[in-house]
Amino acid sequence: MKSLIILINKIIYIIGKCVKKGSSLPGKIALKLDKNILNKVKLPENIIMVTGSNGKTSTTELICRVLKENGYNVGTNKEGSNQTEGVTTMILNACNLRGQVKKDVLVIESDERYLKNTTKYIKPKYLVVTNLYRDQMTRNGHPEFIYDKIKEAITDDIHLILNSNDPLSSLYGYKRDKVTYFGIEKNELDTTENTSVYNDCKYCPNCKNILEYEYYHFGHIGKFECEKCGHKTQESDYTITNIDLQTGKIVINSQYQIEMNLKSTYNAYNLLTSFAVASLIGVKGENIAKSLNDYVLQNDRVQTFELNNKEGMLLTSKHENSISYDQSLQYIVKENKPCTVVIIVDAVSRKYFTSETSWLWDIDFELLNAKCVKKIILAGKYAHDLAIRFKYTDIDKSIIEKELDLDKMMEKVKQTSEKNIYVVTCFSDRMKFMDRR
């Protein structure tokens, strides 16, 4: 029966690829046929799971890049199917018909809410929690709710890899031995006050006392300490000791320099996390740095294009995730090129229907109040919602235009844009722009 289920999974997967359907269906059928099928296959010793609000997909790709370049045979759910069914598809595809996974390492991206379901069948050796922010609040609620969901999946035998600068995700390591921390040292980009629109870690997630911060990197990410319970930023094992977004260079542990293709603090964390994981697996630091140096992510979240002899960049942000949008806006401003910024919100989610747009008020659109931003086009079905949000910024209203019709939006972009164009949107809407070029 096991061999038959594996064979069925492989066949359905191939058919799905041919008709360009998602990769979760084969796993869903396999689990219907035998809910314990994953307990019956032989898995490799090294299993890495990556979860968290932001950075899962990019970090997973970077880890795979390093391991593959250094001789490891790696299995991963690269299609992004990060719920239990998609993970099942990937693992059964990596099996021979006897149920042996023919890989040295499995690197699994996992949805935060589904992690506890997946770990019923697959026990990771390493669990990476990148961070916890407000994310798809219609589905996920507050990040402390997601913290509790992830916690249900954590057992004492799992080695945790945690962001020391995040009060929420680093709390999993509180008074725990089997944990590795990564973090960024204080640098010239930091602030002494939280400059975000909101602060979800004003209070300690452990005891609810007010947290004291020495500095903030962005949002609630920084150096913190609770004077009541002692929860604080731990000394990190893997540390960005120098970061320069102008040149796009970071230095890890005062020794390994990496040039970033995408110059952002966000990307720096992804690179640092993958460095930590690969090092724990056994790859030498100089080899990791070589594999990561100037690497261009293949997940199409950042795409460049030309339009009427103008240079453009599409920056894809996560649905209903203000921190992700903030990072895109910060990148635009730091590039400091005279530009037109196009913001498209034509769909709120690709997983469910909702017209709830309160998350737009969490985005720090005030960042676009910069000399380099010459024009802003608000586009898509929710352009009115965007316009109301922008009404409450100090941005000069004469540079802001609104266009619900995406075809008309594209004509405006072609005819009236500056030499540099930045398009900020989500997964559901990115091809609505790219296909209209």
Side-chain angles (χ1 to χ4, degrees):
M1 184 65 174
K2 176 176 68 177
S3 298
L4 179 60
I5 293 173
I6 293 171
L7 180 61
I8 291 171
N9 181 88
K10 290 176 182 289
I11 292 171
I12 297 174
Y13 177 77
I14 292 170
I15 294 172
K17 290 284 284 186
C18 292
V19 297
K20 297 181 179 181
K21 292 293 184 181
S23 59
S24 63
L25 180 61
K28 185 175 182 178
I29 292 173
L31 289 170
K32 285 284 188 183
L33 294 171
D34 184 351
K35 65 179 181 179
N36 294 313
I37 184 64
L38 293 181
N39 292 328
K40 299 175 182 178
V41 302
K42 183 174 177 54
L43 299 169
E45 177 186 352
N46 284 318
I47 300 176
I48 304 155
M49 285 192 182
V50 182
T51 194
S53 300
N54 293 346
K56 295 187 294 292
T57 302
S58 296
T59 299
T60 298
E61 180 181 327
L62 290 167
I63 294 169
C64 292
R65 156 82 174 187
V66 175
L67 296 180
K68 288 176 181 178
E69 283 215 337
N70 286 277
Y72 290 84
N73 187 0
V74 181
T76 186
N77 49 335
K78 63 182 179 180
E79 287 92 350
S81 295
N82 60 13
Q83 299 178 359
T84 308
E85 294 84 355
V87 173
T88 301
T89 299
M90 180 272 290
I91 289 177
L92 296 185
N93 270 348
C95 285
N96 59 26
L97 293 181
R98 294 190 299 275
Q100 299 170 319
V101 176
K102 309 302 287 184
K103 303 291 181 182
D104 301 321
V105 184
L106 293 179
V107 185
I108 301 170
E109 176 189 340
S110 178
D111 178 274
E112 307 92 284
R113 289 186 62 173
Y114 282 80
L115 179 68
K116 66 174 184 178
N117 297 330
T118 304
T119 53
K120 288 179 182 177
Y121 309 105
I122 308 165
K123 186 66 67 175
K125 182 176 182 179
Y126 300 103
L127 173 63
V128 180
V129 185
T130 56
N131 46 62
L132 290 173
Y133 306 128
R134 293 190 188 189
D135 177 44
Q136 301 178 73
M137 292 185 72
T138 303
R139 182 172 80 101
N140 289 336
H142 193 274
E144 289 196 13
F145 171 76
I146 297 302
Y147 173 90
D148 291 336
K149 290 296 180 183
I150 293 175
K151 190 175 182 180
E152 292 178 32
I154 297 175
T155 54
D156 290 340
D157 56 335
I158 298 175
H159 188 129
L160 300 181
I161 302 173
L162 305 175
N163 185 341
S164 66
N165 298 128
D166 178 10
L168 268 171
S169 59
S170 68
L171 184 57
Y172 295 123
Y174 185 69
K175 296 184 178 180
R176 180 186 174 102
D177 295 325
K178 212 169 185 177
V179 58
T180 295
Y181 291 100
F182 59 89
I184 299 179
E185 284 189 352
K186 186 177 183 180
N187 59 79
E188 61 182 12
L189 304 172
D190 295 336
T191 60
T192 55
E193 300 291 334
N194 187 325
T195 59
S196 180
V197 175
Y198 61 91
N199 184 359
D200 279 332
C201 280
K202 181 178 178 64
Y203 299 97
C204 174
N206 188 45
C207 71
K208 307 309 177 187
N209 190 52
I210 293 179
L211 274 182
E212 299 292 334
Y213 273 82
E214 182 179 326
Y215 55 81
Y216 295 86
H217 292 320
F218 60 85
H220 61 253
I221 306 300
K223 186 173 183 180
F224 62 89
E225 182 171 6
C226 176
E227 295 180 352
K228 184 178 179 181
C229 72
H231 178 43
K232 64 180 181 178
T233 301
Q234 298 295 316
E235 183 176 348
S236 51
D237 304 280
Y238 297 90
T239 311
I240 292 180
T241 48
N242 186 42
I243 180 170
D244 186 340
L245 293 188
Q246 294 302 315
T247 61
K249 294 178 181 178
I250 60 172
V251 178
I252 296 176
N253 288 356
S254 302
Q255 185 176 1
Y256 304 104
Q257 179 173 292
I258 298 172
E259 293 190 14
M260 297 188 292
N261 182 268
L262 181 63
K263 303 170 187 176
S264 74
T265 307
Y266 218 53
N267 191 36
Y269 267 113
N270 295 338
L271 291 164
L272 175 63
T273 310
S274 59
F275 189 102
V277 172
S279 183
L280 289 169
I281 292 295
V283 185
K284 292 181 179 179
E286 56 268 26
N287 293 339
I288 302 173
K290 182 179 178 181
S291 295
L292 294 176
N293 196 57
D294 205 27
Y295 178 65
V296 180
L297 289 165
Q298 303 300 303
N299 55 30
D300 292 333
R301 294 192 174 194
V302 178
Q303 299 180 55
T304 56
F305 60 88
E306 290 187 4
L307 191 66
N308 284 11
N309 297 316
K310 300 169 184 177
E311 295 182 359
M313 178 177 284
L314 176 74
L315 297 164
T316 305
S317 301
K318 280 192 71 179
H319 296 76
E320 305 170 83
N321 188 300
S322 57
I323 289 288
S324 181
Y325 277 83
D326 286 352
Q327 290 294 306
S328 296
L329 302 179
Q330 287 174 9
Y331 175 82
I332 292 167
V333 174
K334 288 186 186 303
E335 286 293 283
N336 199 28
K337 298 176 181 177
C339 63
T340 292
V341 179
V342 183
I343 301 172
I344 304 173
V345 181
D346 196 60
V348 174
S349 174
R350 60 178 173 172
K351 294 184 177 180
Y352 48 83
F353 174 76
T354 177
S355 57
E356 205 286 311
T357 57
S358 64
W359 55 276
L360 293 175
W361 292 83
D362 293 336
I363 301 173
D364 193 1
F365 286 118
E366 284 77 7
L367 289 165
L368 295 179
N369 190 12
K371 290 183 179 179
C372 62
V373 179
K374 305 299 182 182
K375 183 178 183 129
I376 299 172
I377 300 176
L378 310 177
K381 179 190 281 188
Y382 299 97
H384 289 306
D385 299 76
L386 279 167
I388 293 171
R389 171 66 183 90
F390 271 81
K391 183 179 179 180
Y392 287 86
T393 70
D394 292 329
I395 299 171
D396 182 358
K397 302 306 183 285
S398 68
I399 71 169
I400 302 173
E401 293 189 28
K402 179 177 61 178
E403 182 54 70
L404 278 73
D405 187 286
L406 296 181
D407 291 324
K408 292 179 180 178
M409 169 213 70
M410 186 56 71
E411 285 305 309
K412 286 185 178 181
V413 174
K414 289 179 179 177
Q415 302 302 324
T416 67
S417 288
E418 297 289 319
K419 182 69 175 176
N420 297 286
I421 305 167
Y422 294 99
V423 181
V424 180
T425 189
C426 63
F427 292 99
S428 293
D429 295 339
R430 61 181 175 176
M431 297 312 297
K432 296 175 185 177
F433 180 89
M434 299 301 283
D435 289 344
R436 285 177 166 82
R437 288 175 299 148

